[in-house]
Amino acid sequence: MTTFIRVVELWVPDRTRTRLEFGGSLCSAEFTEFRAVSETALFAYDEGLPGKAWASGHPIILTSFANSYFRRTDEAVEAGLTCGVALPVFAGEFLMAVMVLFCGDDATHVGAVELWHNDPDKSHEMGLVDGYYGTADMFEFNSRHTKFPRGFGLPGRTWKAGMPLIIKDLHNSKGFLRWEEASEIGINCGVGIPYTTGEETWVVTFLSAQATPIARRFEIWVPNEARTALVFHSGDCSKQADLAALYAAKTIRRGEGSIGGAWATGMPALNEHLKQDESIAASLARTSGMNQVVVLPVIENALLKAVLAWYL
């Protein structure tokens, strides 16, 4: 199974906290050379894709590397990578890490990664900053000409919730306004991630298709009321597993496995070998044949709101 996102990288402050250094990646063997270039790279504040996300304080999407500030263009093109999305993780005003996602360019590539934005001084709606759609040309055209009020569609609902959101079975979902175009090209699951900077709101959306899914399983975990453990909030699995039933009465402690670790440290995590993760989430993912996990903490006012995990 080919996933829509081909490479996930982590960039973390070096010991001087003035530059970002390589903190690991998840990718298949075909991206070994690209990874080797990344391993030795350093990015200053406002430099390259990770540095730009640091300086801007919100997610950034680059749908073309040519003639841009992207620094590894030749190697990315050689590896067949066409789009980069940088997700910065802040605790208050301090950067914890930047996660960078790369998509590929083959002909069967269906799905989308989008960045939406609302500036309340200019509009009460959310418009598309940019997006990468693989071969879904008509869906791309319609998305570029659609705006969402707060509470409507995946971007507007994520904006209203102020939380990561998963919408599954999009063809049956009244909450996904572009369901008709989406179902025509096989997009069946949507994930939204909110970012607030001052008065402005940004939402990153992943739209996942059956043939080239963003991931094989998505999960959102949230702290319980006492903030003593994480409890399962929602999820979607390509194996049709009933995650809510599997996780009923199960919790993840702070510091436990990749998901609990993201809460303890405020850092995103990439885990290449789920065998090394003791948590209930990792053990159930392994049972379903999944080997790797990407974990993104969602932090607001220096407090953890949720942890979004996706499995490959």
Side-chain angles (χ1 to χ4, degrees):
M1 181 190 279
T2 303
T3 52
F4 191 74
I5 293 171
R6 296 301 173 76
V7 178
V8 184
E9 293 180 342
L10 214 48
W11 294 88
V12 297
D14 68 2
R15 55 191 180 75
T16 67
R17 297 195 69 86
T18 58
R19 294 181 303 183
L20 296 172
E21 63 184 8
F22 185 71
S25 74
L26 288 183
C27 60
S28 59
E30 65 191 288
F31 301 107
T32 306
E33 284 179 33
F34 183 73
R35 178 179 174 140
V37 172
S38 301
E39 281 171 350
T40 58
L42 287 169
F43 294 102
Y45 185 79
D46 207 23
E47 182 185 20
L49 185 55
K52 285 279 179 201
W54 180 8
S56 69
H58 59 72
I60 284 188
I61 185 166
L62 259 185
T63 52
S64 168
F65 298 139
N67 306 316
S68 74
Y69 51 78
F70 189 76
R71 281 213 346 227
R72 297 165 284 162
T73 302
D74 293 349
E75 292 85 359
V77 170
E78 180 102 353
L81 300 173
T82 48
C83 163
V85 181
L87 308 173
V89 176
F90 285 89
E93 62 182 337
F94 304 106
L95 182 80
M96 305 302 289
V98 178
M99 185 182 281
V100 179
L101 317 171
F102 290 102
C103 301
D105 68 347
D106 61 315
T108 57
H109 217 57
V110 171
V113 180
E114 304 170 315
L115 179 60
W116 299 83
H117 176 228
N118 168 263
D119 179 346
D121 290 342
K122 295 180 180 161
S123 169
H124 62 279
E125 295 178 311
M126 191 160 256
L128 186 75
V129 177
D130 206 351
Y132 179 72
Y133 296 87
T135 54
D137 298 338
M138 199 62 215
F139 186 74
E140 173 173 1
F141 177 82
N142 289 330
S143 299
R144 291 190 185 281
H145 293 84
T146 303
K147 288 199 174 352
F148 291 101
R150 185 181 162 97
F152 291 86
L154 178 57
R157 285 179 61 187
T158 306
W159 176 16
K160 186 176 180 184
M163 285 277 290
L165 198 64
I166 296 170
I167 301 182
K168 42 193 177 183
D169 302 328
L170 290 185
H171 52 283
N172 294 326
S173 173
K174 298 282 181 283
F176 190 79
L177 300 185
R178 297 170 287 164
W179 67 269
E180 215 163 337
E181 300 100 320
S183 62
E184 278 171 20
I185 54 174
I187 289 176
N188 62 338
C189 170
V191 178
I193 310 167
Y195 284 79
T196 308
T197 57
E199 296 296 307
E200 297 181 48
T201 306
W202 308 75
V203 171
V204 174
T205 54
F206 298 150
L207 302 176
S208 195
Q210 272 154 325
T212 48
I214 300 271
R216 293 158 71 188
R217 176 180 288 183
F218 285 102
E219 295 174 355
I220 296 171
W221 292 78
V222 296
N224 61 10
E225 268 188 64
R227 296 190 74 84
T228 53
L230 295 171
V231 293
F232 179 74
H233 178 269
S234 57
D236 182 56
C237 181
S238 61
K239 293 266 198 285
Q240 306 304 315
D242 182 350
L243 297 177
L246 288 171
Y247 287 127
K250 304 279 196 300
T251 60
I252 294 178
R253 295 186 312 278
R254 195 188 291 247
E256 184 185 4
S258 303
I259 292 173
W263 185 16
T265 61
M267 296 281 284
L270 305 177
N271 188 336
E272 278 185 271
H273 308 290
L274 279 179
K275 286 193 208 68
Q276 299 165 359
D277 186 322
E278 303 291 316
S279 70
I280 179 69
S283 111
L284 288 177
R286 284 200 311 274
T287 307
S288 297
M290 297 162 200
N291 304 310
Q292 302 180 326
V293 67
V294 178
V295 178
L296 183 70
V298 177
I299 299 169
E300 193 177 279
N301 301 328
L303 279 175
L304 183 88
K305 283 194 90 169
V307 177
L308 173 67
W310 64 93
Y311 298 83
L312 308 170

